[in-house]
């Protein structure tokens, strides 16, 4: 696992393609699965297609994927401002539309089906990579192994892998030399069919990115969560892999691709998103937060706002995130039940577990991260305590250990109370303490044992 990825902790996923033209699904569904819905009796998508686009097919929507307002330098700027350290852009999703000049598409499709030959008439992926490489953000890509309706895939899967998928993947690696390769669309067939082990052998032994590339666990049916560089839960905040690298991905709402049916109520608050980042890092994981640009090439303003809000917090507190590792415990709980589950299967879990509990349920009073090299412990408080102190349980500190509020760097008093440490907090000053989503206490000279 490259050191840059171990240290990065926070990345941005980008789902963008022809599905961004309709940009529609029912709430609680993935808008990037629009074409699949049209072909599987999804009445909401079928009715929307007829109402808005008449008799046009999904493939004809590529002409309307213009990306005429796409400014990759602006994207790169706002992503860097969010504090994210890497990007994963969809090179192609399950519909097979390529966001780069993939000559291979002509083997399967008898009409233009990549961003250079239709729609934008530009290399969307390459232009973003160029912009990102002017920043501190690592450039990576997502690639769907299979395609729902690719005629070669439907007729001759081994030929699809040999003559279509492999040439595309090698083209992406050799041309763009990404730092991240996030594969998907693996669940229907074996890793043997996809020749995944052979591809990984080439990638890590011969390719131009063999010493820096990050790969994941989606290489064939049954592989996910069992093999691979990084495990990939999505919208699964309860999953934890203590002894293996992992990264949870999710959208700001529910969909990954832009969904115009979602409104402000469906989007996570900035506090929720910051707490989700902290939660992942405290448990040894990374957080891959998705944005879904529209067909014009604009990041929706509410998504940009969330990125900048997270960035404000990260600008103050990133020392507690970048390069952090899991401490001996990831969090400290208050009294009460710890088995809360949202009644409808959704909801904002992290807020319910921290600042808005249901009666009888415990809250997480603090999260922890640790920097082993500097022997520094970071304590994240989801809310400012009502009293003038915070008690860290089961912690012994050496005499003279330094404690400070990370945002202001002001020293904090503390005392050992049996097996616990009581940290004395100053009066809350909103003019000086702007880390409203979570406040961080930094403690020096702490062992992780």
């Amino acid at each position: 696992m490259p050191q840059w990825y171990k240290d990065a902790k926070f990345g941005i996923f980008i789902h963008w393609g022809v599905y961004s033209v309709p940009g529609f699904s029912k709430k609680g569904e993935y808008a990037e699965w629009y074409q699949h819905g049209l072909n599987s009796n999804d009445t909401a998508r079928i009715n929307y297609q007829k109402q808005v686009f008449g008799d046009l097919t999904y493939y004809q929507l590529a002409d309307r994927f213009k990306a005429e307002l796409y400014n990759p330098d602006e994207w790169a700027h706002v992503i860097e401002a969010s504090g994210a350290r890497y990007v994963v852009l969809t090179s192609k999703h399950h519909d097979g539309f390529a966001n780069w000049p993939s000559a291979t598409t002509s083997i399967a499709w008898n009409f233009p089906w990549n961003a250079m030959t239709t729609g934008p008439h530009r290399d969307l992926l390459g232009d973003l990579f160029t912009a990102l490489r002017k920043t501190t953000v690592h450039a990576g890509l997502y690639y769907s192994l299979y395609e729902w309706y690719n005629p070669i895939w439907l007729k001759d899967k081994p030929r699809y892998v040999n003559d279509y998928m492999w040439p595309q993947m090698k083209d992406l690696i050799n041309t763009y030399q990404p730092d991240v390769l996030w594969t998907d669309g693996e669940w229907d067939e074996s890793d043997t069919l996809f020749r995944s082990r052979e591809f990984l052998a080439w990638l890590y032994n011969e390719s131009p990115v063999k010493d820096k590339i990050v790969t994941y666990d989606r290489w064939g049916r049954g592989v996910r969560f069992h093999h691979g560089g990084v495990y990939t839960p999505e919208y699964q905040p309860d999953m934890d892999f203590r002894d293996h690298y992992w990264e949870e991905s999710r959208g700001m709402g529910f969909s990954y691709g832009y969904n115009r049916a979602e409104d402000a109520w469906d989007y996570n608050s900035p506090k929720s998103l910051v707490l989700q980042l902290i939660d992942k890092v405290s448990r040894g994981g990374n957080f891959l937060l998705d944005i879904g640009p529209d067909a014009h090439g604009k990041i929706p303003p509410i998504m940009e706002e969330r990125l900048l809000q997270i960035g404000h917090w990260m600008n103050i507190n990133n020392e507690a995130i970048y390069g952090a590792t899991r401490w001996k415990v990831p969090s400290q709980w208050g009294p009460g039940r710890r088995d809360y589950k949202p009644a409808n299967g959704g909801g904002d879990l992290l807020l319910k577990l921290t600042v808005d509990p249901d009666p009888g349920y415990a809250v997480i009073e603090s999260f922890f991260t640790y920097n082993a090299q500097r022997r520094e412990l970071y304590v994240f408080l989801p809310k400012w305590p009502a009293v003038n102190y915070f008690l860290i349980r089961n912690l012994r500190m050496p005499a003279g250990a330094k404690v400070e509020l990370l945002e202001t760097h002001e020293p904090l008093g503390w005392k050992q109370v049996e097996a616990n440490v009581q940290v004395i907090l100053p009066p809350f000053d909103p003019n000086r303490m702007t880390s409203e989503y979570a406040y961080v206490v930094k403690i020096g000279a702490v062992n992780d044992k």
Side-chain angles (χ1 to χ4, degrees):
M1 190 62 56
Q3 190 64 44
W4 76 259
Y5 182 82
K6 295 179 184 180
D7 294 339
K9 305 305 178 187
F10 181 34
I12 300 298
F13 221 171
I14 306 177
H15 277 65
W16 192 37
V18 173
Y19 44 84
S20 305
V21 175
F24 174 80
S25 69
K26 291 184 292 186
K27 290 187 177 187
E29 296 181 353
Y30 291 166
E32 66 274 15
W33 280 59
Y34 185 83
Q35 184 193 23
H36 188 271
L38 296 179
N39 290 274
S40 58
N41 299 316
D42 183 325
T43 55
R45 290 188 176 109
I46 292 169
N47 291 337
Y48 186 86
Q49 177 77 6
K50 290 180 179 178
Q51 180 181 359
V52 179
F53 303 111
D55 295 330
L56 293 181
T57 68
Y58 178 78
Y59 298 105
Q60 290 172 308
L61 299 184
D63 293 332
R64 302 193 179 195
F65 180 44
K66 297 292 188 182
E68 72 279 5
L69 301 178
Y70 175 44
N71 185 329
D73 285 307
E74 288 183 358
W75 285 25
H77 172 72
V78 74
I79 290 169
E80 184 177 41
S82 75
R85 286 290 178 88
Y86 59 103
V87 162
V88 180
L89 172 68
T90 43
S91 63
K92 71 157 192 176
H93 203 256
H94 311 322
D95 60 357
F97 183 85
N99 277 333
W100 83 102
S102 173
T104 310
T105 56
S106 63
I107 297 174
W109 310 100
N110 60 1
F111 48 80
W113 201 235
N114 71 66
M116 186 61 78
T117 57
T118 188
H121 294 287
R122 65 187 288 188
D123 184 353
L124 302 177
L125 188 152
D127 289 350
L128 183 60
F129 271 42
T130 297
L132 289 170
R133 283 170 173 154
K134 301 174 189 175
T135 72
T136 58
V137 181
H138 290 262
L141 58 87
Y142 163 110
Y143 180 86
S144 176
L145 299 178
Y146 89 147
E147 298 175 10
W148 290 313
Y149 308 112
N150 184 300
I152 304 176
W153 172 259
L154 296 175
K155 184 178 180 180
D156 188 343
K157 288 179 172 55
R159 183 190 165 214
Y160 168 89
V161 171
N162 295 330
D163 297 347
Y164 190 89
M165 188 193 85
W166 266 59
Q168 274 197 334
M169 294 177 75
K170 284 196 168 184
D171 178 32
L172 286 166
I173 297 299
N174 289 323
T175 303
Y176 301 103
Q177 300 188 19
D179 294 342
V180 175
L181 175 62
W182 210 106
T183 48
D184 192 22
E186 86 294 357
W187 48 81
D188 283 345
E189 298 295 339
S190 69
D191 62 284
T192 303
L193 175 76
F194 288 124
R195 297 174 60 199
S196 295
R197 282 170 283 186
E198 294 171 69
F199 181 82
L200 287 165
W202 171 80
L203 186 68
Y204 280 105
N205 290 283
E206 301 176 41
S207 82
V209 295
K210 61 186 177 67
D211 295 323
K212 68 173 184 176
I213 192 74
V214 175
T215 59
Y216 294 77
D217 62 348
R218 302 190 180 197
W219 292 104
R221 183 177 57 243
V223 175
R224 194 185 305 186
F225 304 149
H226 296 288
H227 306 282
V230 181
Y231 290 171
T232 57
E234 62 179 74
Y235 290 94
Q236 296 167 293
D238 292 340
M239 298 198 77
D240 193 1
F241 305 95
R242 180 160 188 166
D243 299 320
H244 199 284
Y245 279 97
W246 60 278
E247 168 195 273
E248 189 189 355
S249 67
R250 62 155 298 135
M252 292 186 177
F254 185 81
S255 179
Y256 285 94
Y258 172 60
N259 183 7
R260 65 184 76 249
E262 292 182 333
D263 52 38
W265 300 106
D266 299 300
Y267 281 78
N268 278 226
S269 68
K271 184 178 183 73
S272 170
L273 295 173
V274 167
L275 289 175
Q276 290 183 62
L277 168 62
I278 294 168
D279 172 61
K280 307 301 173 283
V281 178
S282 74
R283 294 186 289 117
N286 282 24
F287 186 38
L288 186 62
L289 178 63
D290 181 81
I291 58 174
D294 63 26
H296 305 289
K298 295 294 290 184
I299 300 171
I302 191 171
M303 296 186 182
E304 281 195 324
E305 182 182 41
R306 291 293 184 272
L307 292 178
L308 295 175
Q309 289 166 324
I310 296 169
H312 171 76
W313 185 89
M314 283 288 286
N315 190 50
I316 297 168
N317 299 292
N318 65 64
E319 176 187 325
I321 297 294
Y322 299 142
T325 60
R326 184 170 179 150
W327 195 47
K328 59 183 180 182
V329 293
S331 57
Q332 175 175 300
W333 287 79
R337 294 174 56 185
R338 300 186 187 183
D339 58 347
Y340 174 81
K341 300 290 183 184
N344 61 357
D348 201 330
L349 180 64
L350 261 296
L351 290 183
K352 301 301 289 186
L353 295 183
T354 54
V355 297
D356 184 31
D358 284 355
Y361 285 93
V363 297
I364 297 174
E365 299 172 335
S366 63
F367 297 92
F368 303 102
T369 64
Y370 185 69
N371 188 298
Q373 185 176 5
R374 300 193 301 264
R375 294 178 58 218
E376 290 171 342
L377 175 67
Y378 298 92
V379 185
F380 300 79
L381 307 179
K383 60 182 179 181
W384 193 263
V387 293
N388 69 338
Y389 65 89
F390 182 77
L391 191 69
I392 306 171
R393 294 191 291 274
N394 300 313
L395 175 65
R396 291 194 178 275
M397 297 197 337
K402 295 181 179 180
V403 180
E404 68 178 49
L405 187 65
L406 185 57
E407 178 166 5
T408 62
H409 299 292
E410 64 182 288
L412 302 179
W414 65 273
K415 60 182 178 180
Q416 192 78 45
V417 183
E418 297 179 343
N420 311 312
V421 170
Q422 185 183 84
V423 176
I424 310 303
L425 298 172
F428 182 77
D429 182 353
N431 296 313
R432 299 176 61 240
M433 304 169 186
T434 63
S435 300
E436 57 185 307
Y437 313 133
Y439 305 93
V440 183
V441 173
K442 174 182 175 180
I443 303 176
V446 175
N447 291 319
D448 63 345
K449 303 300 183 185

